[in-house]
Amino acid sequence: MKTLTMDKKNLDHPKKQHPLTQVWNSYPDFFQNSSTSVLPVPSIERIIGEIFAAGQFYYYVINFADSTLCNHHENILSMHGFNKYPVHLKEIIDLIHPDDLEFVMEAERMCIEKMMEINGFDYQQELKSSYCFRMRTAKGNYELFHHQALHTYKDENGKLLQTVNIHTNIEHITHQNSYTVLLSGINGRKDFHQMQWINNNKTSAPSVIFTKREVEVITCIAKGYSAAKASDFLNISEETVRTHRKNILKKADCKNGSELVKKAFEWGYL
């Protein structure tokens, strides 16, 4: 079982801070909070169990101390045309479509400020952020990716050291970015905060409003769970899962789960 560890290599990387890193550094409590409750460093297998990937995906670990990367999934090479594993966060940022970079910076700011609002710094390791943006692929074009991030490693004083980012290519599902940011709970936490980037005039509010439980069922559908597995995951009966699924499909005017997942991405629920 592969467990995340700090990469101690002396890596050559740019010393000038990228504006995205400046966003994080403008919130010192993001890295250091008053809580001394530190969860064990999770395995990659457990992390992947907390996310869903509706397509080809990869992950990598960011070391916040110097913005270096480690523990890459091999798909990052073929999906973006890298000849070797990227060693610094800037190499990932450079893949983002220039028109989406402002949104990415604001999405990170929105997540941090929502954590401040809900006192979430004390349980950062039980919160997942997600949103979408376009990235350059090995084909030389830009395609829509779904980004998920989980904070994984703190030191004995509660200082945040690492986060795992998971990127999934969802171009085959939708080309439409909702410019919505989600901050949701994992490991049993029930947090669900949906935030809209109001600076973008191309988006509109979804025509359908799902309940928190319905969103949980939609997430299970996106993961490809059977009714039995969704029942175990959500701690509800299989019949309740089927009833929710039927009601969700009717509410969204969808014929099947694939159509539902597409609309859920476009409406910003995933």
Side-chain angles (χ1 to χ4, degrees):
M1 184 174 290
K2 188 176 182 181
T3 301
L4 304 180
T5 56
M6 289 292 288
D7 191 337
K8 297 296 186 181
K9 293 180 181 178
N10 182 20
L11 297 172
D12 182 23
H13 59 84
K15 295 183 178 180
K16 185 178 180 181
Q17 281 191 350
H18 188 276
L20 180 57
T21 308
Q22 292 175 2
V23 170
W24 296 330
N25 289 341
S26 64
Y27 296 90
D29 288 345
F30 176 69
F31 294 101
Q32 182 69 58
N33 59 74
S34 59
S35 174
T36 57
S37 177
V38 181
L39 300 177
V41 181
S43 67
I44 286 289
E45 288 80 2
R46 200 195 82 184
I47 290 171
I48 297 304
E50 294 288 357
I51 65 102
F52 65 93
Q56 193 176 22
F57 75 96
Y58 61 85
Y59 54 75
Y60 58 88
V61 174
I62 301 175
N63 300 309
F64 279 121
D66 55 8
S67 296
T68 56
L69 308 180
C70 62
N71 293 79
H72 313 72
H73 185 279
E74 61 185 8
N75 282 352
I76 195 172
L77 299 173
S78 59
M79 291 174 70
H80 291 299
F82 285 120
N83 294 321
K84 58 182 180 179
Y85 289 120
V87 297
H88 194 271
L89 180 59
K90 184 180 183 300
E91 296 175 74
I92 301 297
I93 295 173
D94 286 345
L95 297 172
I96 300 174
H97 194 293
D99 291 344
D100 286 353
L101 189 55
E102 180 185 1
F103 166 65
V104 171
M105 293 172 60
E106 286 304 309
E108 290 296 311
R109 192 187 309 277
M110 291 161 71
C111 287
I112 295 173
E113 291 185 352
K114 178 57 68 173
M115 286 186 193
M116 293 173 62
E117 179 184 327
I118 64 174
N119 297 320
F121 289 143
D122 288 345
Y123 51 92
Q124 283 172 302
Q125 291 167 283
E126 296 178 327
L127 292 172
K128 179 186 75 172
S129 60
S130 59
Y131 50 89
C132 298
F133 51 84
R134 291 167 292 175
M135 301 185 77
R136 190 172 63 251
T137 71
K139 294 178 288 186
N141 62 337
Y142 287 94
E143 297 184 357
L144 192 62
F145 279 72
H146 183 244
H147 162 87
Q148 299 174 85
L150 298 93
H151 302 134
T152 54
Y153 188 21
K154 292 184 176 183
D155 66 15
E156 63 276 8
N157 297 315
K159 183 178 180 180
L160 182 63
L161 299 178
Q162 286 187 338
T163 188
V164 173
N165 284 1
I166 303 100
H167 291 168
T168 305
N169 189 322
I170 60 170
E171 187 73 15
H172 62 291
I173 298 176
T174 181
H175 309 291
Q176 181 177 324
N177 192 349
S178 66
Y179 294 99
T180 301
V181 183
L182 296 181
L183 187 66
S184 53
I186 61 174
N187 297 330
R189 288 201 66 89
K190 300 300 182 182
D191 305 77
F192 183 81
H193 306 279
Q194 188 180 40
M195 299 165 282
Q196 185 68 47
W197 186 42
I198 60 175
N199 288 341
N200 182 42
N201 57 17
K202 297 180 182 178
T203 61
S204 58
S207 57
V208 175
I209 304 299
F210 293 115
T211 66
K212 184 177 179 181
R213 176 61 83 185
E214 286 174 336
V215 172
E216 291 174 341
V217 173
I218 292 170
T219 301
C220 288
I221 293 173
K223 289 182 175 182
Y225 286 2
S226 64
K229 189 169 183 179
S231 169
D232 291 340
F233 184 75
L234 299 175
N235 196 27
I236 57 179
S237 71
E238 288 186 43
E239 184 59 32
T240 300
V241 171
R242 294 190 183 96
T243 298
H244 276 306
R245 188 180 189 278
K246 180 180 178 181
N247 292 338
I248 290 168
L249 289 173
K250 183 177 181 180
K251 182 186 287 190
D253 191 25
C254 292
K255 297 178 182 179
N256 52 52
S258 296
E259 189 177 349
L260 174 65
V261 171
K262 178 180 184 295
K263 287 189 175 181
F265 272 118
E266 293 177 350
W267 291 340
Y269 283 103
L270 292 175

